């Protein structure tokens, strides 16, 4: 039984007029498969090579039961002819690396179409006493299974193989393979000295012992009732921390009544304070936060916003009062014409201000208008940070019903002109959890 591999076509070059040149099989593929699917077979396209060039084919198989990684490159080469050769760079049991290489100069001579030459079914192994996490992935190694190692390979390996070939734009390989598994020696030496296989350069890096890995991601959600209805808060990406850092998870909830917003971040951090706080309580605007730090792998694993909303006061729906205030909650600034609502009983003033938030992969001003209980109310009591977020609150003024605008003595208003509008600074790459929300009308 064999599986067919579909190969990505890199491109076709046209033969130069008057030049006799070879046609070679041409293609490139990488895949992670179940070992039990071996041997594999593949189909490639063809390319016309320039004069003097030869055809090459290279197959690398990294085996880490129950999975294997296969990388295949065929095409033109300047290299000298070389008989088909199978090399065992690292012998099993446990992790193993085997390659097949060949260079030839006849039409379509690089015609290997199965992994059979590299396939040596391993004899049954005697299980030892050491157990290791086992992973083989081009993505990441979150929550991998532990397996009992064969007696001969009683060390755990944890590293990354970097495979590169062909720097030409549009044609090349740049693979990053995360590897965890059983090996016969300690240390960072899966490659056993191998630096090149055919056109492919290999390099490995290992995390030093004790490096902490944390979940990484941001959440940004705007919808009604976030202070009552929990939402999912998971992160599928991971981050390796620098020395001295810990894992953190931070949630900030702002609820002005008809609208609420939840901003959250998971990742590594030097911040070491943790707290669950209600910065501003109902009646009126609610601001609450949850911050946790911890120092074991993947410990920042809260899966929903219930970690915060379960500790919030749950008053019965407040009776309406007599005050009316504009209501707004916006990433960026509130427009001049916010909806006006009747405030709950117990509130006496309208609040208008902004919380500028920066850190943990997020940068955004949050414009806030709503009802508050005291004329001097600030929402954050001049706090400067909440978990991984640096926060700055600026209050614009206090409107008393039936009175002209009077300036609040508490907080002068620094210029935040540069912060108008939404800017989201994301960690290199796509955030793992970004919920899209409707814009403030
Ligand atoms: C690999 O294939 C075998 C046999 O088909 C199956 O029992 C096993 O669960 C598979 N393992 C993985 C990791 O997919
Ligand atoms: C490492 O490479 C050497 C020679 O290059 C070889 O003799 C040895 O068997 C290899 N070790 C393993 C564990 O494959
Ligand atoms: C929010 O809660 C109120 C009352 O508790 C309910 O009437 C409303 O439908 C909810 N809105 C959403 C979008 O769930």
């Amino acid at each position: 039984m064999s599986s067919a591999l579909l190969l990505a076509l890199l491109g076709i070059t046209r033969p130069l007029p008057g030049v006799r040149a070879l046609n070679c099989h041409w293609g490139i593929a990488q895949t992670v498969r179940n070992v039990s699917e071996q041997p594999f077979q593949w189909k490639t396209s063809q390319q016309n090579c320039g004069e003097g060039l030869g055809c090459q084919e290279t197959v690398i198989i990294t085996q880490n039961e129950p999975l294997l990684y296969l990388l295949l490159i065929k095409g033109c080469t300047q290299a000298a002819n070389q008989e088909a050769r199978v090399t065992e760079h690292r012998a099993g049991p446990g992790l193993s690396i085997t390659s097949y290489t060949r260079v030839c100069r006849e039409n379509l001579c690089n015609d290997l179409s199965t992994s059979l030459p590299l396939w040596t079914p391993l004899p049954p192994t005697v299980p030892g006493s050491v157990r290791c996490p086992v992973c083989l992935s081009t993505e990441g190694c979150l929550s991998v299974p532990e397996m009992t190692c064969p007696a001969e390979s009683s060390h755990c390996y944890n590293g990354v193989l970097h495979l590169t070939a062909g720097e030409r734009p549009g044609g090349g390989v740049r693979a990053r393979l995360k590897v965890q598994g059983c090996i016969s020696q300690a240390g960072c030496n899966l490659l056993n000295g191998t630096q090149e296989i055919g056109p492919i350069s290999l390099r490995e890096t290992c995390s030093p012992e004790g490096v902490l890995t944390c979940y990484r991601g941001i959440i940004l959600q705007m919808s009604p009732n976030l202070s009552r209805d929990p939402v999912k808060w998971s992160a599928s990406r991971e981050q390796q921390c620098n020395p001295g850092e810990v894992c953190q998870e931070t949630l900030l909830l702002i609820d002005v009544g008809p609208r609420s917003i939840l901003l959250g971040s998971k990742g590594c951090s030097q911040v070491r304070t943790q707290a669950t706080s209600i910065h501003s309580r109902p009646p009126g605007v609610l601001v609450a936060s949850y911050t946790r730090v911890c120092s074991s792998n993947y410990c920042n694993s809260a899966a929903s916003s219930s970690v915060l909303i379960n500790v919030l006061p749950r008053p019965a729906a407040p009776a309406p009062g007599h005050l009316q205030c504009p209501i707004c909650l916006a990433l960026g600034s509130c427009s001049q014409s916010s909806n006006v609502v009747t405030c709950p009983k117990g509130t006496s003033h309208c609040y208008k201000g902004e919380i500028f938030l920066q850190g943990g992969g997020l940068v955004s001003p949050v414009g806030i208008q709503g009802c508050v209980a005291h004329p001097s109310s600030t929402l954050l009591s001049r706090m400067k940070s909440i978990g991984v977020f640096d926060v700055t609150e600026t209050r614009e003024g206090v409107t008393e019903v039936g009175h002209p605008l009077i300036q609040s003595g508490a907080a002068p208003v620094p210029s935040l002109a540069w912060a108008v509008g939404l800017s989201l600074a994301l960690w290199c790459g796509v955030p793992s959890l970004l919920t899209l929300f409707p814009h403030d009308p």
Side-chain angles (χ1 to χ4, degrees):
M1 290 299 271
S2 60
S3 319
L5 283 178
L6 196 62
L7 294 189
L9 174 69
L10 282 182
I12 308 266
T13 54
R14 260 173 276 140
L16 298 170
V19 172
R20 275 186 54 238
L22 284 180
N23 283 329
C24 295
H25 289 285
W26 168 262
I28 188 169
Q30 65 170 345
T31 182
V32 174
R33 295 294 178 100
N34 193 321
V35 171
S36 67
E37 292 176 55
Q38 285 192 98
F40 302 97
Q41 67 179 24
W42 48 78
K43 286 199 172 68
T44 38
S45 47
Q46 297 177 13
Q47 183 192 29
N48 190 276
C49 298
E51 199 180 10
L53 295 186
C55 303
Q56 72 80 25
E57 54 191 347
T58 303
V59 184
I60 300 177
I61 290 184
T62 300
Q63 191 156 322
N64 190 22
E65 290 215 45
L67 297 174
L68 67 72
Y69 167 82
L70 183 150
L71 173 64
L72 163 67
I73 299 185
K74 285 174 183 259
C76 311
T77 183
Q78 297 182 334
N81 284 358
Q82 187 217 301
E83 292 291 308
R85 183 195 298 159
V86 173
T87 312
E88 198 168 48
H89 305 276
R90 154 83 46 197
L95 280 160
S96 68
I97 301 179
T98 313
S99 73
Y100 173 99
T101 47
R102 181 177 181 209
V103 179
C104 50
R105 280 175 167 76
E106 279 163 53
N107 240 0
L108 300 177
C109 58
N110 57 342
D111 55 359
L112 182 72
S113 62
T114 82
S115 65
L116 270 172
L118 295 93
W119 187 41
T120 43
L122 288 172
T125 54
V126 183
S129 54
V130 172
R131 290 173 67 78
C132 295
V134 172
C135 170
L136 194 64
S137 170
T138 50
E139 312 265 299
C141 292
L142 288 179
S143 64
V144 294
E146 271 201 358
M147 313 212 15
T148 302
C149 293
E152 304 92 323
S153 54
S154 55
H155 290 84
C156 294
Y157 178 85
N158 183 359
V160 181
L161 286 189
H162 308 260
L163 303 104
T164 46
E167 298 298 332
R168 283 164 301 133
V173 185
R174 190 168 283 276
R176 194 173 166 276
L177 183 69
K178 288 207 79 171
V179 185
Q180 288 181 28
C182 306
I183 197 165
S184 54
Q185 318 145 328
C188 190
N189 188 23
L190 173 60
L191 289 171
N192 191 22
T194 307
Q195 293 180 339
E196 270 175 17
I197 300 176
I200 300 165
S201 309
L202 296 96
R203 193 168 62 83
E204 72 187 300
T205 52
C206 301
S207 317
E209 280 303 308
V211 163
L212 186 61
T213 307
C214 306
Y215 287 111
R216 186 189 80 176
I218 60 169
I219 179 175
L220 195 151
Q221 185 152 351
M222 193 181 253
S223 56
N225 301 340
L226 287 171
S227 57
R228 212 194 50 199
D229 303 335
V231 294
K232 196 167 160 251
W233 184 31
S234 59
S236 56
R237 287 173 171 255
E238 60 181 48
Q239 179 179 23
Q240 285 188 341
C241 298
N242 294 320
E245 289 184 330
V246 291
C247 301
Q248 68 79 25
E249 48 194 0
T250 303
L251 271 187
L252 175 64
L253 171 73
I254 306 170
D255 192 330
V256 297
R259 289 160 186 274
S260 51
I261 189 170
L262 191 66
L263 300 130
S265 170
K266 289 176 193 263
C268 301
S269 167
Q270 301 204 332
V271 171
R272 284 178 185 268
T273 48
Q274 61 178 26
T276 302
S277 312
I278 300 171
H279 308 281
S280 173
R281 20 179 99 239
V285 177
L286 166 82
V287 180
S289 68
Y290 165 90
T291 308
R292 181 164 162 260
V293 297
C294 53
S295 55
S296 60
N297 288 328
Y298 307 111
C299 59
N300 55 344
S301 58
S304 109
S305 63
S306 59
V307 288
L308 173 58
I309 66 179
N310 283 352
V311 305
L312 298 179
R314 208 159 293 267
H322 302 294
L323 179 67
Q324 293 210 317
C325 288
I327 284 274
C328 164
L329 190 58
L331 285 170
S333 303
C334 287
S335 64
Q336 293 304 313
S337 53
S338 301
N339 291 343
V340 173
V341 299
T342 301
C343 292
K345 208 170 166 188
T347 56
S348 60
H349 291 79
C350 298
Y351 173 95
K352 182 174 189 193
E354 186 173 84
I355 293 176
F356 186 80
L357 173 147
Q358 179 162 28
L362 283 166
V363 184
S364 183
V366 182
I368 303 167
Q369 284 183 283
C371 316
V372 290
H374 302 288
S376 61
S377 293
T378 59
L379 300 178
L380 296 180
S381 317
R382 295 189 201 126
M383 284 192 74
K384 289 283 164 252
S385 66
I386 293 175
V388 78
F389 301 137
D390 291 329
V391 287
T392 315
E393 178 183 1
T394 49
R395 184 160 188 202
E396 277 189 19
V398 178
T399 318
E400 283 197 73
V401 222
H403 292 73
L405 182 75
I406 56 164
Q407 195 68 34
S408 152
V413 186
S415 161
L416 275 186
W418 51 274
V420 171
L422 165 66
S423 66
L424 267 178
L426 304 173
W427 271 310
C428 46
V430 187
S432 57
L433 223 179
L434 177 59
T435 314
L436 289 179
F437 46 87
H439 272 287
D440 193 44

